[in-house]
Amino acid sequence: TPYERDNFRKLRDELGLVDAYRHFYPNEREQHYTFFTARQNLKKQNRGWRLDYFMVSKTLINIVDDVQIRRDKECSDHVPLILMMKDPNEALC
């Protein structure tokens, strides 16, 4: 809902967090869904919601290498969201 999205943005800003997926894919609007209701087989229609996030600090974003949404996996009504990180010993040097 607009209320939930607004409060999520406010909380993100208050805590100084970064949406790791949006950091790497700021313009992606086709393959970013992480939840699909099974009732209407919406995954095949690419009609879902982006409900799962990795919110990280502005310092930690420097060691994040990528965020992958694994739509090819059938686990539940949510698809896996994978945070790939650099070796912190190399990234923070």
Side-chain angles (χ1 to χ4, degrees):
T1 67
Y3 174 79
E4 291 166 319
R5 285 189 294 271
D6 186 49
N7 281 313
F8 187 78
R9 277 190 289 276
K10 286 179 184 175
L11 181 62
R12 177 199 65 202
D13 294 345
E14 285 175 18
L15 297 175
L17 298 175
V18 176
D19 175 350
Y21 182 79
R22 278 287 166 243
H23 176 80
F24 290 99
Y25 305 99
N27 300 313
E28 173 57 55
R29 296 294 186 266
E30 295 295 323
Q31 302 295 318
H32 68 287
Y33 302 123
T34 62
F35 172 84
F36 300 89
T37 183
R39 285 183 276 169
Q40 299 162 343
N41 202 14
L42 295 181
K43 187 175 182 183
K44 287 185 179 179
Q45 301 172 44
N46 194 37
R47 292 179 52 210
W49 295 268
R50 186 165 172 251
L51 298 181
D52 305 286
Y53 297 83
F54 280 115
M55 303 302 291
V56 299
S57 71
K58 292 177 181 175
T59 302
L60 187 60
I61 196 67
N62 295 319
I63 63 170
V64 175
D65 194 39
D66 193 16
V67 179
Q68 300 174 358
I69 297 175
R70 300 295 304 271
R71 294 171 52 113
D72 58 319
K73 301 297 178 193
E74 298 289 336
C75 299
S76 70
D77 48 2
H78 292 260
V79 297
L81 184 66
I82 300 171
L83 182 77
M84 308 294 287
M85 299 181 76
K86 301 172 189 170
D87 180 338
N89 294 319
E90 295 174 17
L92 297 176
C93 293

